[in-house]
Amino acid sequence: SPTAENKSLSKNKRKELLKESLHKETVLNSFSEFYSQQYGRERWKSLFEAMCKPTKCVAMINNFASLESIERFLNSATQASPQNFKDPKKEVHLEKIEFIDILCYSSSERFPPPFRDENGIMAYYLLDAASVMVIKALDVKSTDNILDLCAAPGGKSLAILQYLLLNSKLRTRAEHIDPTGADGIGEGRDECAFGTGYLTSNELSPSRRHRLKQVIANYVPSSYRHKVKVISEFKSFSMSTYDKILVDAPCSSERHLLNDPTELSKWKVSRTKNNARKQYRILLDSVKGLHIGGTLVYVTCSISKLENDEVVKKILENSWVPLEEVGHNFHWEIGERTEKGWIVLPDRCDGWGPLYFSALKRVGDGEFRRKEFMRFDRKREKEKSSREDMEEGFDDDY
């Protein structure tokens, strides 16, 4: 029994365990107090409970895989094939995600690991549905030169490539029909080709960059890989280069913290303040890389307003180049509007999220002058280098 086990421990060990338990309780109370001030106690209670539940994911169909492998996945899922889903006795219900315009399915049962088609290409990728929404907000065109700045583990880069394929002007068919009647796949897929669009996926961390490269290798045929380049650079731009930039910034990732007691025990209010400073610096450099008329989508999986709207407000006030918020033009089927963007929270979105995003458009030339950094308190804290900032991060893919 636990009591007997505790008695067998040394006095010092019991004191150490008690101290650790009290510390975790103190941190959790501080954590809850901080976010209840932002969301209100009633809303925070439901949000906290939702974030403590297992994360949800969709299967994003990989249109680079063969049609036969995709049909096999869809058919085997609806038949609850024992070789695919964990419990063959349970009936499996697949549901197309209607608020996303590339093929994504949710399931009543946990998806099995993705499998390869006859050419060695994975048939689907698992990620949060809200992660695909932000790519829709990027409004990918077939001719766009796109930068995914903090690209690992690779799910959003793969989604960008799906949109480049879907929207290519060189496609010989406007629609494809899958076996369930959803647009996206069907006869004529092999005739699809890219336009002049190109994706650069950037990741500084060696281990995360290795995972990113694996995703590209596993999901994109060699005949298409010339359309994506994986790099490892800190992007401090001296000239505009890209039509679209995705900045999926390192953040507090509170849902991950709540499911990782060790990480949660390290949480402090200063964590979200420090992250906001890092995010601002990353954005400050990123906006210089946008063409005039280009769009940057800023994304976090944080629920902290300091890391979300406050960062966007600061960059709008203090950018090197003139920007305007364009996210107010969007209306999404899930989530809720914030002051400067949109947020998907799991307590009101069937378990999806958290995920915040804001779309910003460059509207003119800029003046490259020194810009101030964000400050949230009077004490000057030691700043890490931008390279260190961008190497940190949590995965919101699965």
Side-chain angles (χ1 to χ4, degrees), residues 370-384:
R370 182 175 176 81
K371 295 288 176 177
E372 63 174 302
F373 287 116
M374 295 187 81
R375 290 180 182 174
F376 291 95
D377 47 34
R378 294 180 182 177
K379 288 186 177 180
R380 184 171 181 175
E381 299 182 29
K382 185 178 180 180
E383 300 288 339
K384 292 183 179 180

Side-chain angles (χ1 to χ4, degrees), residues 32-51:
S32 291
E33 180 61 27
F34 178 76
Y35 287 106
S36 65
Q37 288 176 8
Q38 292 192 31
Y39 287 91
R41 295 197 179 277
E42 286 304 311
R43 178 70 192 276
W44 171 243
K45 182 180 178 181
S46 65
L47 181 55
F48 178 83
E49 290 174 356
M51 291 201 302

Side-chain angles (χ1 to χ4, degrees), residues 9-38:
L9 298 173
S10 68
K11 183 177 179 181
N12 286 340
K13 185 63 176 178
R14 290 199 300 272
K15 287 175 66 176
E16 183 181 328
L17 290 173
L18 178 61
K19 183 179 179 180
E20 182 180 321
S21 176
L22 290 173
H23 172 70
K24 288 180 178 179
E25 184 179 349
T26 300
V27 170
L28 184 58
N29 288 338
S30 177
F31 181 89
S32 291
E33 180 61 27
F34 178 76
Y35 287 106
S36 65
Q37 288 176 8
Q38 292 192 31

Side-chain angles (χ1 to χ4, degrees), residues 284-330:
L284 194 61
D285 280 306
S286 302
V287 294
K288 295 184 290 183
L290 271 181
H291 289 149
I292 295 174
T295 301
L296 181 147
V297 175
Y298 171 64
V299 184
T300 81
C301 55
S302 175
I303 61 172
S304 172
K305 294 178 182 179
L306 292 179
E307 298 180 47
N308 296 336
D309 278 346
E310 292 304 315
V311 170
V312 174
K313 285 194 284 187
K314 188 68 174 178
I315 203 70
L316 286 169
E317 294 169 359
N318 204 42
S319 171
W320 301 97
V321 298
L323 299 169
E324 66 178 27
E325 181 200 348
V326 293
H328 56 266
N329 298 326
F330 297 126

